[in-house]
């Protein structure tokens, strides 16, 4: 192989000679995993000394994203290495990684050619230039790359000539890297299958209980309790998107000693809902990006720039350590954010733990949506029930108005005809003796009273006599205003003797009462005609006999009871 130049921190002109190539290939032969292969590549990149930091981003199994699998950042950012590891770069977002991968060529971004968005990234990472190098198949450069090596230069820039040694290293390692990537993908699939079986067992009981809940508050409580049981977090917060804001819904502590922090954080977030601007809050970033974020130890990155909103939350929590933020999804779309905090010490989350949390947060979205639907339906049912009660009351009022005499409060003439017809038919239907009587009551000389004292006083008398009739009759008896000054009482299960006794009570009570009227205190008397139904009676014949008895009482001196 012809000699090639390869840079290193101590000597920029070391040749990639045959012995060095042999050493590298021997190291490749001893590699036993993708991680070891990436460590070897990372060491080679570092020794070339062309950049101050690097990220190795490999394409995922679906070919839609580049995943950060290995990196080395500048000293001031090394505490972010664990957070950045596993970061997903879309191959369709048009940014540097995507350009390098899709164009299969080296690309540079610096302050001279960067877009506004790229300038912000350069400023954040405090570098002068990003350079992306595709990991190409040396036998077929037009084949899709395995990934992209991203180089960061703090001062100055990197010439393409200086990248030739890196390209040679990538060419040497290509086949081994490709094989280990395939093996890692298969191994990951195997691990996922095994983890899925274990996770399903963990989830079944929990999901069954969650599915039965109808209160959103209880959904949050049970969900947090399950997370605290399985993972050593001390605090959980739930926020949902409402219109154009991310609004806090509940903050729950695993231990009562954190109750004060819980109330303080909830109060702050209640008064400061986050607008849907990713620069305002990490929670909003997770919601809009629809990807979870893990900060292994917040204490190690507190000195870095952070939004005022998140800075205040961190200050309230005093000693936040591990922070995990995941989107809450419903029907595969983010609807909110779940944030989990450890406060006592950092905790380690395995890939299985993270998958479990993401699955649970997706199920949480369904449980929240279901409980909201239930709450809405319950509220609607209550409202419908209330409206039905109001409607029934209105129907009852209308029915009473249609069947009741407004002045006296007794049933009216129409109701009397319907009730009497029903009672007479019942007597005809049954062969055994069915007792039914009728009492027809008329106020004596009522026309003369009206002429003397006026109709207002007459109305007072009508109402007073109706009250006396109601007072004297039994619960089973039914009183009606027949018309004018006449009243009629239907007496079920009552023979003629019983009817006479009732009629006499009514007559005596009216005679003894002094009525308050608009014309002063006045007295009146009534005449009553009584009769009992006969086997062949019709409704009309039955009533006529009572009317004849009343006529008899009128003609024999009034203020008396007669039978017919």
């Amino acid at each position: 192989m012809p000699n090639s130049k390869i840079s290193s921190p101590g000597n920029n002109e070391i040749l990639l000679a045959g012995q060095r190539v042999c050493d590298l290939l021997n190291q490749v032969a001893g590699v036993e995993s993708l991680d070891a292969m990436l460590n070897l590549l990372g060491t080679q990149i570092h020794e070339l000394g062309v950049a101050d930091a690097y990220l190795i981003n490999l394409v995922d199994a679906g070919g839609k994203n580049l995943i950060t699998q290995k990196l080395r950042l500048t000293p001031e950012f090394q505490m972010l290495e664990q957070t950045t590891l596993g970061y997903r770069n879309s191959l369709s977002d048009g940014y540097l990684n995507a350009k390098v991968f899709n164009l299969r060529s080296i690309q540079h971004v610096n302050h001279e050619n960067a877009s506004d968005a790229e300038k912000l990234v350069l400023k954040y990472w405090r570098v002068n230039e990003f350079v992306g190098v595709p990991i190409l198949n040396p036998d077929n450069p037009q084949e899709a790359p395995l990934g992209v090596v991203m180089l960061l230069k703090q001062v100055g820039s990197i010439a393409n000539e200086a990248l030739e040694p890196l390209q040679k290293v990538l060419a040497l390692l290509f086949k081994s890297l490709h094989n280990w990537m395939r093996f890692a993908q298969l191994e990951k699939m195997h691990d996922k299958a095994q983890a899925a079986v274990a996770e399903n067992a963990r989830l079944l009981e929990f999901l069954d209980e969650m599915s039965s809940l109808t209160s959103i508050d209880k959904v949050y409580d049970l969900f947090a309790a399950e997370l605290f049981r399985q993972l050593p977090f001390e605090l959980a917060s739930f926020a949902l998107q409402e219109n154009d804001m991310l609004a806090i819904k509940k903050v729950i502590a695993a231990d009562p000693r954190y109750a004060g922090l819980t109330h303080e954080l909830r109060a702050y977030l209640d008064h400061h809902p986050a607008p849907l601007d990713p620069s305002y809050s990490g929670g909003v970033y997770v919601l809009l990006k629809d990807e979870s974020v893990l900060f292994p130890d917040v204490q190690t990155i507190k000195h870095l720039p952070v939004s005022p909103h998140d800075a205040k939350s961190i200050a309230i929590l005093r000693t936040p350590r591990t922070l995990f933020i995941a989107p809450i999804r419903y029907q595969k779309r983010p609807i909110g954010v779940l944030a989990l905090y450890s406060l006592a010490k950092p905790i380690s989350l395995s890939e299985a733990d993270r998958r479990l949390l993401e699955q649970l947060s997706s199920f949480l979205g369904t449980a929240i949506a279901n409980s909201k639907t239930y709450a809405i339906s319950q509220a609607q049912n209550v409202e419908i029930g209330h409206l039905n009660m109001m409607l029934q009351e209105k129907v009852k009022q209308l029915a009473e108005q249609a069947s009741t005499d407004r002045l006296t409060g007794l049933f009216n003439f129409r109701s009397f005809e319907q009730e009497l017809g029903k009672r007479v038919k019942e007597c005809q239907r049954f062969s055994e003796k069915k007792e039914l009587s009728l009492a027809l009551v008329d106020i004596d000389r009522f026309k003369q009273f009206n002429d003397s004292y006026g109709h207002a006083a007459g109305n007072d008398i009508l109402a007073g006599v109706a009250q006396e009739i109601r007072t004297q009759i039994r619960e089973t008896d039914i009183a009606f205003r027949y018309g004018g000054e006449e009243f009629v009482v239907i007496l079920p299960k009552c023979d003629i003797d019983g009817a006479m006794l009732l009629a006499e009570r009514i007559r005596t009570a009216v005679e003894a009462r002094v009525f308050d009227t608009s014309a002063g205190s006045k007295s009146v008397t009534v005449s009553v005609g009584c009769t009992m139904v006969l086997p062949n009676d019709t409704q009309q014949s039955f009533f006529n006999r009572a009317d004849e008895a009343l006529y008899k009482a009128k003609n024999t001196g009034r203020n008396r009871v007669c039978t017919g």
Side-chain angles (χ1 to χ4, degrees):
M1 172 180 279
N3 291 343
S4 300
K5 293 182 179 180
I6 179 167
S7 301
S8 69
N11 185 353
N12 292 329
E13 298 297 331
I14 294 178
L15 298 180
L16 194 63
Q19 183 59 45
R20 185 172 176 82
V21 171
C22 289
D23 290 343
L24 180 57
L25 293 178
N26 284 333
Q27 292 180 64
V28 170
V31 165
E32 296 183 351
S33 68
L34 177 61
D35 281 345
M37 191 71 206
L38 291 171
N39 287 337
L40 177 59
L41 176 56
T43 299
Q44 295 298 314
I45 296 171
H46 177 64
E47 288 180 354
L48 290 175
V50 294
D52 299 302
Y54 67 84
L55 297 91
I56 303 174
N57 303 321
L58 301 182
V59 68
D60 63 10
K64 294 183 179 180
N65 301 282
L66 291 174
I67 312 298
T68 301
Q69 301 275 29
K70 174 72 178 176
L71 71 161
R72 182 186 181 94
L73 300 179
T74 55
E76 63 179 322
F77 289 104
Q78 281 180 357
M79 75 290 297
L80 290 177
E81 288 183 353
Q82 287 302 311
T83 301
T84 309
L85 197 64
Y87 186 80
R88 193 177 299 269
N89 303 272
S90 172
L91 287 173
S92 60
D93 63 11
Y95 292 130
L96 183 57
N97 275 286
K99 288 179 184 177
V100 173
F101 187 91
N102 294 322
L103 295 175
R104 295 164 174 73
S105 63
I106 295 172
Q107 300 290 319
H108 297 253
V109 169
N110 50 50
H111 289 283
E112 295 178 1
N113 65 2
S115 66
D116 289 342
E118 289 169 336
K119 286 178 180 177
L120 289 175
V121 177
L122 289 168
K123 181 179 179 181
Y124 178 82
W125 289 103
R126 299 176 186 173
V127 296
N128 184 64
E129 184 178 55
F130 283 106
V131 180
V133 182
I135 305 174
L136 296 172
N137 183 348
D139 300 326
N140 185 6
Q142 295 309 308
E143 184 181 290
L146 294 183
V148 171
V149 174
M150 190 62 58
L151 303 173
L152 287 69
K153 188 71 172 175
Q154 290 182 303
V155 179
S157 59
I158 306 174
N160 281 352
E161 294 78 7
L163 296 172
E164 290 179 3
L166 172 60
Q167 290 177 292
K168 293 182 183 297
V169 168
L170 293 175
L172 281 171
L173 301 184
F174 180 87
K175 287 186 179 179
S176 294
L177 181 60
H178 178 264
N179 290 337
W180 279 115
M181 284 176 63
R182 292 287 302 276
F183 181 80
Q185 288 171 357
L186 292 173
E187 194 175 47
K188 191 173 184 180
M189 290 173 61
H190 177 263
D191 290 344
K192 278 186 175 180
Q194 285 191 322
V197 174
E199 288 166 12
N200 285 341
R202 293 167 69 184
L203 285 172
L204 281 177
E205 183 179 350
F206 169 64
L207 297 184
D208 182 61
E209 189 173 357
M210 282 279 286
S211 298
S212 66
L213 294 179
T214 55
S215 162
I216 292 181
D217 255 8
K218 289 182 179 178
V219 167
Y220 293 140
D221 290 340
L222 178 61
F223 190 87
E226 177 66 14
L227 290 181
F228 294 151
R229 184 182 71 82
Q230 298 199 36
L231 298 167
F233 287 105
E234 278 96 18
L235 207 68
S237 70
F238 304 86
L240 297 180
Q241 181 179 344
E242 293 181 346
N243 300 319
D244 295 328
M245 307 296 285
L246 184 63
I248 193 68
K249 292 300 172 183
K250 195 155 190 179
V251 181
I252 302 173
D255 192 311
R257 62 184 166 148
Y258 296 118
L261 295 183
T262 300
H263 295 317
E264 190 176 349
L265 181 61
R266 174 64 189 268
Y268 171 72
L269 296 177
D270 269 336
H271 289 88
H272 298 85
L276 298 187
D277 175 357
S279 67
Y280 189 87
S281 164
V284 175
Y285 175 85
V286 167
L287 177 74
L288 298 180
K289 187 77 173 177
D290 192 20
E291 289 184 357
S292 62
V293 170
L294 173 66
F295 296 93
D297 191 352
V298 175
Q299 294 302 310
T300 63
I301 59 171
K302 286 176 66 175
H303 63 285
L304 296 177
V306 65
S307 72
H309 179 84
D310 289 347
K312 177 62 176 177
S313 299
I314 291 172
I316 290 172
L317 294 176
R318 313 292 196 271
T319 59
R321 304 305 299 264
T322 300
L323 168 59
F324 179 77
I325 311 175
I328 298 171
R329 300 185 183 96
Y330 176 61
Q331 295 182 344
K332 298 183 179 180
R333 296 181 61 185
I335 62 168
V337 167
L338 163 70
L340 299 171
Y341 305 84
S342 75
L343 303 177
K345 61 182 180 180
I347 63 175
S348 176
L349 289 182
S350 66
E351 279 299 314
D353 290 331
R354 293 187 66 166
R355 285 198 301 272
L356 174 66
L357 287 171
E358 295 214 1
Q359 287 178 333
L360 289 178
S361 64
S362 293
F363 182 77
L364 174 61
T366 301
I368 289 171
N370 289 344
S371 61
K372 280 187 174 181
T373 302
Y374 179 82
I376 291 172
S377 67
Q378 286 297 99
Q380 290 174 340
N381 287 340
V382 170
E383 182 64 18
I384 290 170
H386 179 63
L387 292 174
N388 281 336
M389 288 179 63
M390 291 176 61
L391 181 59
Q392 290 171 8
E393 186 63 28
K394 289 291 183 184
V395 169
K396 182 180 178 182
Q397 290 174 4
L398 290 172
E400 288 177 351
Q401 290 173 8
S403 62
T404 304
D405 176 66
R406 183 176 298 179
L407 176 63
T408 63
L410 301 179
F411 291 110
N412 58 22
F413 173 76
R414 180 172 174 271
S415 300
F416 167 68
E417 285 196 317
Q418 293 174 345
E419 187 67 23
L420 184 62
K422 183 178 73 173
R423 297 287 181 168
V424 170
K425 286 179 182 178
E426 286 177 354
C427 291
Q428 293 170 343
R429 191 179 302 123
F430 297 100
S431 56
E432 68 271 15
K433 182 179 179 182
K434 192 82 172 177
E435 295 176 338
L436 178 67
S437 296
L438 207 59
L440 195 56
V441 182
D442 184 87
I443 301 174
D444 296 329
R445 297 185 176 90
F446 188 69
K447 183 179 183 303
Q448 181 180 336
F449 184 94
N450 273 344
D451 292 342
S452 300
Y453 303 111
H455 287 284
N459 287 342
D460 293 334
I461 291 297
L462 288 170
V465 170
Q467 183 181 32
E468 288 299 328
I469 292 173
R470 275 198 301 267
T471 301
Q472 300 303 323
I473 63 176
R474 303 170 300 172
E475 286 186 4
T476 56
D477 300 334
I478 311 171
F480 305 83
R481 184 182 179 192
Y482 186 75
E485 70 275 21
E486 285 187 309
F487 304 88
V488 61
V489 182
I490 296 176
L491 307 165
K493 298 181 181 180
C494 181
D495 59 15
I496 191 62
D497 292 334
M500 290 286 288
L501 286 172
L502 174 65
E504 185 58 29
R505 288 204 305 271
I506 292 172
R507 186 200 67 76
T508 303
V510 173
E511 181 183 30
R513 179 169 171 180
V514 177
F515 298 94
D516 292 328
T517 74
S518 61
S521 298
K522 303 296 177 185
S523 297
V524 294
T525 61
V526 295
S527 298
V528 187
C530 298
T531 190
M532 180 178 172
V533 73
L534 300 177
N536 296 322
D537 261 335
T538 63
Q539 179 176 341
Q540 191 60 51
S541 65
F542 183 32
F543 179 78
N544 287 345
R545 203 161 49 252
D547 193 40
E548 291 169 1
L550 175 61
Y551 186 75
K552 186 194 298 183
K554 290 285 188 181
N555 287 340
T556 55
R558 296 183 176 84
N559 191 24
R560 64 189 61 215
V561 177
C562 292
T563 63

